[in-house]
Amino acid sequence: MGIGTSIFLLALGAILTFAVNASIGGLDIDVVGWILMAAGVLGLILTTLVWNRRRQPAATDEPVEYRRVEERRDVAPPM
């Protein structure tokens, strides 16, 4: 889940919880709103953790190996 989806779930949950005063038989809209907000917060946390893990540089214990490349000029070019 991305950041945009998480923010959308948070907003939709807040609207259902705090702004809608309707009732549907057998369904509590406030509870659905709270569940959507919880899913949005969880999605934001997980997305942040994944993005932070990707941004860490890959550390290697081995030094970078440098090689010197020399061009040979004693060979005649092909005809």
Side-chain angles (χ1 to χ4, degrees):
M1 183 179 339
I3 293 174
T5 306
S6 299
I7 292 173
F8 174 75
L9 287 177
L10 275 169
L12 184 63
I15 290 170
L16 288 177
T17 301
F18 303 117
V20 175
N21 291 328
S23 62
I24 299 174
L27 182 67
D28 190 0
I29 294 179
D30 289 339
V31 173
V32 172
W34 283 107
I35 291 171
L36 288 175
M37 285 193 290
V41 168
L42 183 66
L44 265 175
I45 291 170
L46 291 176
T47 302
T48 304
L49 290 175
V50 169
W51 277 90
N52 283 339
R53 187 173 292 167
R54 284 184 190 171
R55 292 178 188 236
Q56 291 178 353
T60 59
D61 294 335
E62 301 175 11
V64 177
E65 182 179 337
Y66 294 101
R67 295 183 182 179
R68 183 174 179 160
V69 178
E70 295 182 12
E71 184 178 348
R72 292 183 53 183
R73 300 211 177 230
D74 60 341
V75 178
M79 290 190 195

